[in-house]
């Protein structure tokens, strides 16, 4: 089965869980919009047989200090897998936003795992957006870190 056929099958199953018809377009992409204002884009890299799941969580503010604070928070959240799961936060291609992204290599997934991954991705997207709304203590305010290693 081709990667596009696999994506089509998996999106159909996901759509069944959501109560809607889902199918990729001719480029292997599909968009989902949820009531909680989270939009998820699912696209296929057919050459590498990887399904990418992406959601733009935040438009970066124009104010430089707020912009840097948000980007520092995104980097801090990337450091803890509990927050990002198997995904990562990154700047959007135009550097005007923060996106959450996850890669699903087809060889490592089946339809059940894909549906669970998208469900988890949606939950993580909501949680990460909330964290970006309320940034935690910045790295610069954390204070010195005590040396504990013995590398010489």
């Amino acid at each position: 089965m081709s990667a596009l056929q696999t994506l089509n099958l998996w999106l159909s199953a996901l759509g069944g869980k959501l109560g809607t018809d889902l199918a990729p377009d001719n480029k292997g992409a599909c968009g989902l919009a949820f009531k909680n204002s989270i939009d998820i884009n699912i696209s296929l890299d057919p050459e590498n047989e990887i399904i990418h799941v992406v959601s733009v969580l935040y438009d970066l503010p124009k104010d430089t200090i707020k912009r840097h604070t948000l980007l520092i928070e995104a980097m801090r959240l990337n450091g803890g897998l509990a927050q990002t799961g198997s995904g990562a936060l990154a700047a959007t291609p135009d550097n005007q936003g923060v996106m959450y992204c996850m890669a699903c290599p087809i060889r490592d997934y089946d339809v059940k795992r894909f549906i669970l991954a998208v469900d988890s991705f949606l939950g993580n997207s909501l949680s990460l957006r909330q964290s970006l709304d309320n940034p935690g203590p910045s790295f610069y305010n954390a204070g010195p870190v005590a040396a504990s290693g013995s590398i010489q």
Side-chain angles (χ1 to χ4, degrees):
M1 181 179 319
S2 74
L4 186 57
Q5 289 170 321
T6 299
L7 177 61
N8 193 30
L9 179 71
W10 292 2
L11 285 175
S12 179
L14 177 62
K17 295 281 186 185
L18 296 172
T20 188
D21 292 329
L22 294 177
D25 63 16
N26 61 352
K27 294 182 181 178
C30 179
L32 299 134
F34 294 91
K35 291 179 185 175
N36 53 24
S37 74
I38 294 287
D39 295 338
I40 294 176
N41 295 303
I42 298 173
S43 62
L44 175 66
D45 171 354
E47 186 176 313
N48 295 302
E49 296 191 340
I50 296 173
I51 298 170
H52 296 279
V53 185
V54 176
S55 180
V56 176
L57 300 179
Y58 230 94
D59 292 328
L60 288 172
K62 300 293 182 204
D63 177 89
T64 304
I65 292 173
K66 290 179 182 176
R67 185 181 191 90
H68 287 152
T69 300
L70 192 64
L71 290 171
I72 288 168
E73 182 65 7
M75 288 188 293
R76 187 185 72 76
L77 290 167
N78 267 342
L81 291 178
Q83 289 94 349
T84 58
S86 58
L89 291 167
T92 56
D94 64 2
N95 292 319
Q96 298 304 309
V98 174
M99 65 182 183
Y100 178 47
C101 43
M102 174 180 68
C104 303
I106 290 173
R107 71 179 177 279
D108 296 337
Y109 283 73
D110 59 21
V111 65
K112 184 177 179 181
R113 184 171 179 206
F114 175 73
I115 291 170
L116 289 172
V118 172
D119 182 56
S120 184
F121 183 89
L122 177 60
N124 287 345
S125 295
L126 291 166
S127 176
L128 289 165
R129 179 180 282 163
Q130 216 170 25
S131 294
L132 292 170
D133 280 339
N134 304 296
S138 133
F139 171 79
Y140 298 106
N141 296 329
V145 176
S148 60
S150 59
I151 299 174
Q152 297 179 10

